[in-house]
Amino acid sequence: MKHPLIRIFLCFLTYPVSAQNFTAKYNVIKDIVSNGSKSHVVATLKFDGYYYRKNMAIISYLKPLYLAEYPIGFVMDKESDLNFQSYNLEMDTIQSITYCQLDSMLLRYRFGIRGNFVNLFETGIHQWKIYPGPRTIQGLTCQRAVLSLPNGTPYCDMWFATEIPMPIGFSTLLDMPGLMVEGEFLTLHEKYFLQRYSFEDTINNSLFWPREFEEPFKQQDKFISRKNNQPVTPAKPQQ
């Protein structure tokens, strides 16, 4: 009889997949880094991160925990060489929304004041470099994976759970080799730490159409793979 984690892995490996609920919650921190001649951390912002999958729909987003601390919407840089150097903060109560419909390969996402966007996508857009050697984090067998920008600059460095393949991640990450357990968006100065996950939570359908999606969407060109449309092969579960 197959191990239950292997059965979970197989059910998520290809599209379409059988009905499956999945929820996860993260602690997220973001450093506001100065852009002056002397680089330093101006402030560290905290968020709760949420990830939901129900059947073929996936949504993730952040809820900021700093709104009461910075009610005027900006933070002053007290160490700046310039006088009155400040940084604007996003003050929405739900941020960085990424929604994906896997059967139609439809992506909806929101980037703060830039608004809502929608487009179709193919698999094989993001090519992850997966490193050998497992590491156990919170009882999950994990491997390291790095996604770089087209110019070679590392963009996301994470440890993913080999037992829980999830194809879409936070901030429109595509072709994920597995669920992010710990990760860092290097250029965004954001770090993610998985706190809990469940295959048993009830998920309300209304979660997949937040109030922010009532605003108009800007249609974008389809994301087309540059690698012959070949998706990254998820790592196999450790025996």
Side-chain angles (χ1 to χ4, degrees):
M1 186 175 185
K2 295 180 179 178
H3 191 281
L5 287 178
I6 297 178
R7 293 202 299 272
I8 291 170
F9 177 84
L10 292 175
C11 87
F12 279 99
L13 185 57
T14 58
Y15 308 142
V17 296
S18 58
Q20 181 69 57
N21 284 8
F22 180 82
T23 64
K25 183 179 179 181
Y26 292 77
N27 283 347
V28 182
I29 58 175
K30 178 181 178 68
D31 287 334
I32 303 298
V33 179
S34 68
N35 52 20
S37 58
K38 182 182 178 181
S39 180
H40 57 275
V41 175
V42 178
T44 298
L45 309 179
K46 296 182 179 181
F47 305 79
D48 285 333
Y50 296 90
Y51 186 100
Y52 299 94
R53 174 167 184 164
K54 186 173 185 179
N55 300 330
M56 303 298 282
I58 294 176
I59 192 168
S60 62
Y61 54 83
L62 303 180
K63 285 191 173 182
L65 305 178
Y66 59 82
L67 299 184
E69 185 177 359
Y70 302 101
I72 57 178
F74 66 86
V75 58
M76 297 296 300
D77 184 358
K78 299 179 181 179
E79 299 182 32
S80 172
D81 298 333
L82 305 174
N83 292 328
F84 305 110
Q85 180 70 33
S86 65
Y87 296 85
N88 292 327
L89 304 178
E90 186 174 347
M91 299 301 286
D92 290 343
T93 56
I94 179 172
Q95 303 176 13
S96 299
I97 307 171
T98 296
Y99 166 85
C100 177
Q101 187 64 40
L102 295 174
D103 52 2
S104 60
M105 306 298 278
L106 177 73
L107 193 65
R108 297 183 186 273
Y109 47 100
R110 180 178 178 87
F111 290 140
I113 62 174
R114 293 170 58 190
N116 295 333
F117 300 85
V118 60
N119 57 271
L120 299 175
F121 69 98
E122 297 178 347
T123 58
I125 301 296
H126 289 161
Q127 301 293 316
W128 293 83
K129 181 177 181 181
I130 299 176
Y131 291 81
R135 173 187 170 194
T136 300
I137 307 175
Q138 298 187 40
L140 294 170
T141 300
C142 301
Q143 280 185 263
R144 182 184 174 211
V146 175
L147 176 67
S148 297
L149 299 174
N151 64 5
T153 301
Y155 174 67
C156 182
D157 190 336
M158 72 170 181
W159 289 87
F160 68 93
T162 59
E163 301 102 325
I164 311 177
M166 288 288 164
I168 305 294
F170 286 88
S171 297
T172 66
L173 284 181
L174 304 175
D175 304 296
M176 294 278 286
L179 179 74
M180 179 187 292
V181 177
E182 291 183 2
E184 180 175 5
F185 289 85
L186 300 165
T187 59
L188 302 178
H189 308 289
E190 291 181 357
K191 296 180 180 180
Y192 289 70
F193 303 91
L194 179 66
Q195 295 302 299
R196 65 173 297 271
Y197 69 93
S198 174
F199 286 93
E200 300 177 355
D201 290 348
T202 300
I203 302 176
N204 193 311
N205 289 335
S206 63
L207 281 172
F208 296 96
W209 193 263
R211 181 181 59 185
E212 287 75 9
F213 278 6
E214 297 298 330
E215 299 178 14
F217 281 85
K218 302 172 186 177
Q219 181 71 48
Q220 302 293 293
D221 292 337
K222 183 177 182 179
F223 290 160
I224 299 176
S225 172
R226 298 180 182 180
K227 297 290 185 179
N228 298 320
N229 206 24
Q230 293 298 314
V232 172
T233 301
K236 295 181 180 180
Q238 302 295 315
Q239 300 297 325

